[in-house]
Amino acid sequence: MDDDGTRGVRGSSADRVPGPALPPPPTAPPRVPAPAAGPDPAATPVEQRPTRPGPASPAEQPVPGAPVDAWLRTPRPPQEPGVWRYGYTPPPPEEPEGVSNRSLLVGALISLLSALLLWSLWRNGYLPYRLVPLKLFTPGEWWNPGTSGGPRTIEGSDALTVYEAILFGLLAYGCGRIGNFSELFRRHVADRGQPFLALAAAAAAGLTQLLVWKEALPVVRPVLVLVASVAGGEIYQSQTVVNVIYAVIAAAVLHPFARLGRWRELIAARRGTAAPAPSGTAAAPATATSADQWPELRTAGWTDAADTLTAEARTGRMNDVDVARLRHAWALATRRPDRLAPLAEAVLRTGGAAALHPSGHRDLPRRGARHDVLTGQVRIGRCADDPHNPYVRRGTGLALEPALLGTSLLAVGPPGAGKTARLIRPVVEALALRALAGQAAVLAVGGAGAPLGPDDAFDVVVRLGHPGSAHDIDLYGGTTDPDEAAAVLAEGLVGDVGSLDSRRAATVLAQLLGPYRAAHGHFPSVPELRELLDGTPAALAGLRASLETAGHHAMLRELDARSRQAGGPGDPAPALADRVALLDRPAFTGFFATGPDARPFSLRALGQHPLRVRVDLPERGHAEASRLLTRLLLAQFTAITAARTDTTLFACLVLDDATHAVTAETVRGIRRLRSVNAGAVLALRTVDDVPETLHTPLLGAVGCTAAFSGITTWDGKRFAEAWGKEWVETREVAQHTVFADQPFTRALHALRKLVTGKAVTTDAVTVRQVERERWSASELAYAVPAGHAVLSLTTVQGEHAPPLLVHLDG
């Protein structure tokens, strides 16, 4: 990429796209890197949810080297804020709370014993009028006189045999339903999986076959009778026919057990020919209007370009970033019809490499999180199976996207809670991918060595205080207006000093910056600004002489006003000079240059180009200077993004450590970001790192909040107040033991206690609606497990998601 003559100069101007930090990658088609090593939690069942598994999530990005057409066709249905949309399938309906194992087993045993008792009474003739229904539908000459008279003829005996088989089937069915044998089988046999399921079914099948052929179960004789009545008794003269009938009976008895034991699936799995399990996230079949056919290009008449992209997607010469970039480029070109033809020609010429990012990169060197570049989502975890989470969200993936980050995000957690590795880095990675697609610009700020991504994943890497840094930072934000530069610089220098009015500090700076720029054509460097704020006579005299020579009388009045106010009560100049002195250190020599040859990187470029910028701060040796610079970058970002006119590019600032960086003015600026398609991600160790007067305004300014495990109850109280309360239904049950006076009643109570395991009581139930906190301070401090966080999300359209307990796997 052309360096525009800036080679050898630290930084680049606001209206020029900085060159890549490293040489462009090879021209060969890139492949989407695989996720980090280790088991994919998306493919594992939800913890502690064996009976109600949530939807299994597929791979969130194409397999390395695989075509992306199936990935492109995978449905992404609209969902609630934060739901991982790629191939989302809703969970099954919530099941009611089941009975205890003891009650289930005792109930099944009682049902079985009752059925055996009824069948014994039937077979021994102790049930009166048992043959009356049969005699109503058969000829009377088949039966002996009387209601209890047995069969007189062979036909009557055959009818009685079939009649008993039908009644036995009804009795077995009723016993199974009343005893809830299906739930017993599912809970204690099916849930244990293979091969126990197949072995249990085989044992039951063997026992049933034994009982059938011993005629303990009325199966064989009724079947023989029915066959003889239909085909005639002569059919049994053939031994082959008899063997076939016996084989059919044996197969009919085995068939239900084979289905219950899933013998076919087990055999196929043993042979290695098991068919893939049906997945609700399978890609939709290719059609003329499916996404991999690029219907938007075909509708516009560019069939050749659409065919080219379809072929590239199917052959693996495109990756997911190429797809997102070209779709976005086409959407922008449709607004400017004169750009359609050049874009289509570029597609025909270079295929998936058309409309490249200015850096020439088509993908990140490696990815550590799971992304869906088409929607801009990055999956950071899954919602835990916890009563605080709604049932429909338990087990589903949780993802962040620009629609959520546009309301800004505040993450609070102690060191080691995983803020950087599990939240900040995935967000930076997702924004970097979106920048390669031409849809976003990201500025990531952290300490030197913070794991925000490798150098070759960024276009600009600023290492403040490092002599090998190729770029610099503009303290004045790239503006030429002294008042604007003074306002932003004042916030960065003394915005955290509660005793100073930042407006007075901005006035003092403007009284010096304006005259200096009028005299020299640029703003003062750090040493010069320090001398002016200290009121050094030589510096002020030299500036005055330059103004008099150039005839800047208005600026002379500004300088005179500064001279009159210097040294007065409440003069903020000494405090400003002390803060500027933090930057006037030998470690920063050569940085923050402002001369005519200096071109430091300006944050204004973020609003014009899809840049990936990382700023490394020297936190170890210059902690106070790092906080000052963080505060300055936040103030510049909020001011610059609010002033831009073209808001099609999403701009996001990510602060890995926002300690002492938030001021009253930046809180107001954060609140305005969502209206200009921008956002900020702030990470804090505790809310107390922000002035107490700003706790409530800050929590009210951001739309998304995250409380990590290990926060204190004081921080938990602030989150609990910010998340509010909800109406819940409570049931108060007062149990009173029932004492029986009669022997028979006491016997019934004893039987009930044997079945349920509880004494006989009467319940007095009181149901009422009460308002309770969604998460209490104590729960946030002590009930959030390690590796988890509670996230509350809001979109720029105003949609809300309740605070969700999330297991972070980012």
Side-chain angles (χ1 to χ4, degrees):
M1 186 176 178
D2 186 17
D3 59 4
D4 294 322
T6 61
R7 190 177 300 276
V9 179
R10 180 183 289 135
S12 57
S13 60
D15 57 352
R16 181 177 288 106
V17 183
L22 292 178
T27 57
R31 295 291 184 262
V32 180
D40 183 5
T44 58
V46 181
E47 295 176 354
Q48 303 176 354
R49 234 181 130 184
T51 60
R52 296 180 298 182
S57 300
E60 291 79 4
Q61 50 205 23
V63 179
V68 298
D69 54 342
W71 169 84
L72 191 57
R73 292 195 306 270
T74 302
R76 297 164 172 84
Q79 293 296 325
E80 297 178 0
V83 174
W84 177 252
R85 293 168 50 194
Y86 180 85
Y88 173 81
T89 54
E94 186 174 7
E95 299 178 2
E97 185 177 357
V99 296
S100 63
N101 289 332
R102 177 176 179 177
S103 299
L104 192 64
L105 291 172
V106 173
L109 180 61
I110 292 177
S111 175
L112 179 61
L113 294 177
S114 300
L116 292 176
L117 176 62
L118 287 175
W119 184 244
S120 177
L121 294 176
W122 168 270
R123 293 296 298 269
N124 292 286
Y126 290 109
L127 296 181
Y129 310 107
R130 64 190 184 95
L131 300 180
V132 171
L134 180 59
K135 292 181 178 181
L136 292 177
F137 296 96
T138 55
E141 60 269 17
W142 291 4
W143 310 96
N144 291 320
T147 57
S148 59
R152 177 189 298 178
T153 63
I154 296 178
E155 291 82 359
S157 297
D158 293 342
L160 180 59
T161 300
V162 175
Y163 179 57
E164 287 182 344
I166 295 174
L167 289 180
F168 179 81
L170 294 176
L171 181 62
Y173 176 77
C175 173
R177 292 298 301 271
I178 295 175
N180 204 0
F181 278 86
S182 60
E183 176 66 17
L184 185 67
F185 175 81
R186 184 191 64 80
R187 187 179 299 183
H188 295 282
V189 179
D191 284 351
R192 300 182 68 172
Q194 299 286 16
F196 180 83
L197 175 61
L199 293 176
L207 178 61
T208 304
Q209 288 280 12
L210 179 63
L211 296 177
V212 166
W213 297 116
K214 291 292 184 179
E215 296 191 2
L217 300 178
V219 176
V220 178
R221 291 190 62 190
V223 171
L224 296 177
V225 169
L226 289 175
V227 172
S229 64
V230 174
E234 296 82 3
I235 194 173
Y236 294 120
Q237 295 179 0
S238 172
Q239 186 62 35
T240 302
V241 173
V242 174
N243 293 337
V244 170
I245 293 175
Y246 284 165
V248 170
I249 293 175
V253 173
L254 286 176
H255 178 69
F257 294 99
R259 294 196 62 181
L260 288 175
R262 301 174 185 173
W263 293 353
R264 181 180 299 179
E265 298 177 10
L266 180 61
I267 294 174
R270 295 295 183 184
R271 293 179 177 177
T273 60
S279 173
T281 59
T287 62
T289 57
S290 57
D292 64 317
Q293 298 293 322
W294 300 85
E296 59 271 18
L297 274 69
R298 299 183 187 276
T299 303
W302 299 98
T303 307
D304 294 341
D307 292 339
T308 300
L309 294 179
T310 301
E312 294 240 330
R314 290 181 176 176
T315 56
R317 293 196 298 268
M318 291 179 64
N319 60 14
D320 51 352
V321 179
D322 294 331
V323 173
R325 187 186 67 251
L326 290 173
R327 286 169 65 97
H328 178 68
W330 184 262
L332 293 180
T334 54
R335 305 175 189 174
R336 298 280 301 273
D338 57 314
R339 296 183 180 180
L340 291 177
L343 178 60
E345 293 175 0
V347 169
L348 292 174
R349 186 173 62 256
T350 60
L356 273 180
H357 185 264
S359 66
H361 295 175
R362 297 173 63 179
D363 200 358
L364 297 179
R366 56 183 176 273
R367 304 184 189 181
R370 293 173 296 280
H371 302 270
D372 184 19
V373 186
L374 205 60
T375 58
Q377 287 190 316
V378 54
R379 177 178 170 131
I380 63 172
R382 68 179 185 273
C383 297
D385 187 4
D386 187 86
H388 286 92
N389 293 342
Y391 172 77
V392 295
R393 299 300 299 268
R394 299 175 191 174
T396 60
L398 189 130
L400 296 176
E401 56 184 310
L404 297 171
L405 299 178
T407 63
S408 298
L409 169 66
L410 176 66
V412 179
K419 299 189 300 298
T420 301
R422 301 185 179 186
L423 180 65
I424 299 299
R425 175 160 182 173
V427 168
V428 173
E429 197 173 84
L431 293 171
L433 288 171
R434 201 162 180 82
L436 290 177
Q439 304 175 47
V442 57
L443 172 62
V445 181
L452 300 180
D455 293 352
D456 48 358
F458 296 90
D459 303 309
V460 176
V461 178
V462 182
R463 296 184 177 90
L464 293 174
H466 192 284
S469 178
H471 296 90
D472 194 359
I473 284 291
D474 188 355
L475 288 180
Y476 303 99
T479 183
T480 58
D481 184 0
D483 293 325
E484 181 181 352
V488 174
L489 187 58
E491 282 297 320
L493 293 177
V494 294
D496 61 328
V497 182
S499 59
L500 287 180
D501 186 357
S502 59
R503 290 174 296 182
R504 290 195 61 189
T507 301
V508 171
L509 288 171
Q511 290 172 344
L512 295 175
L513 297 181
Y516 191 95
R517 178 171 180 78
H520 301 281
H522 58 83
F523 291 120
S525 62
V526 170
E528 293 169 333
L529 179 60
R530 180 183 180 184
E531 291 179 354
L532 293 174
L533 290 172
D534 281 333
T536 305
L540 292 176
L543 178 57
R544 181 181 300 274
S546 299
L547 292 174
E548 291 175 350
T549 303
H552 295 292
H553 301 290
M555 292 303 169
L556 281 172
R557 289 195 299 271
E558 285 284 291
L559 191 59
D560 291 337
R562 171 84 288 268
S563 300
R564 290 192 301 269
Q565 297 170 3
D571 182 17
L576 291 170
D578 291 341
R579 289 300 177 89
V580 172
L582 296 174
L583 304 179
D584 189 17
R585 306 297 301 164
F588 299 116
T589 301
F591 285 87
F592 316 120
T594 59
D597 297 331
R599 290 184 176 179
F601 173 75
S602 172
L603 266 62
R604 291 186 180 275
L606 293 174
Q608 303 170 10
H609 308 289
L611 292 177
R612 302 165 295 165
V613 184
R614 193 189 78 205
V615 178
D616 294 344
L617 301 175
E619 290 185 344
R620 294 184 179 179
H622 304 274
E624 198 63 34
S626 297
R627 294 174 182 176
L628 186 153
L629 293 170
T630 303
R631 194 162 51 247
L632 178 62
L633 292 173
L634 177 58
Q636 286 186 0
F637 180 82
T638 55
I640 291 172
T641 53
R644 61 178 182 162
T645 57
D646 185 6
T647 59
T648 57
L649 197 68
F650 178 73
C652 188
L653 169 67
V654 181
L655 297 182
D656 184 48
D657 184 5
T659 302
H660 300 297
V662 179
T663 65
E665 185 61 32
T666 54
V667 168
R668 287 188 287 268
I670 291 174
R671 190 178 291 112
R672 294 191 297 265
L673 290 180
R674 68 178 66 186
S675 63
V676 292
N677 195 23
V681 179
L682 311 178
L684 295 171
R685 296 182 178 90
T686 173
V687 181
D688 289 331
D689 289 339
V690 177
E692 185 175 359
T693 56
L694 298 179
H695 290 175
T696 300
L698 177 60
L699 289 171
V702 298
C704 303
T705 50
F708 282 71
S709 60
I711 64 172
T712 63
T713 53
W714 291 273
D715 288 343
K717 179 181 179 181
R718 297 181 181 97
F719 280 107
E721 293 174 350
W723 292 337
K725 301 179 179 181
E726 62 180 346
W727 288 98
V728 296
E729 184 180 275
T730 61
R731 293 167 54 92
E732 296 180 359
V733 180
Q735 294 183 340
H736 305 281
T737 304
V738 177
F739 299 96
D741 297 331
Q742 302 299 325
F744 181 72
T745 307
R746 286 198 296 269
L748 290 179
H749 286 187
L751 179 61
R752 179 176 174 181
K753 185 176 181 180
L754 176 65
V755 173
T756 62
K758 300 179 181 179
V760 179
T761 59
T762 58
D763 297 339
V765 182
T766 303
V767 180
R768 59 179 179 174
Q769 295 282 338
V770 297
E771 195 175 21
R772 288 184 178 175
E773 293 177 331
R774 300 177 185 271
W775 282 83
S776 68
S778 298
E779 288 175 329
L780 289 173
Y782 302 110
V784 179
H788 291 65
V790 181
L791 276 78
S792 174
L793 305 175
T794 305
T795 65
V796 291
Q797 291 81 18
E799 299 181 63
H800 295 270
L804 302 171
L805 179 63
V806 181
H807 175 250
L808 300 170
D809 54 14

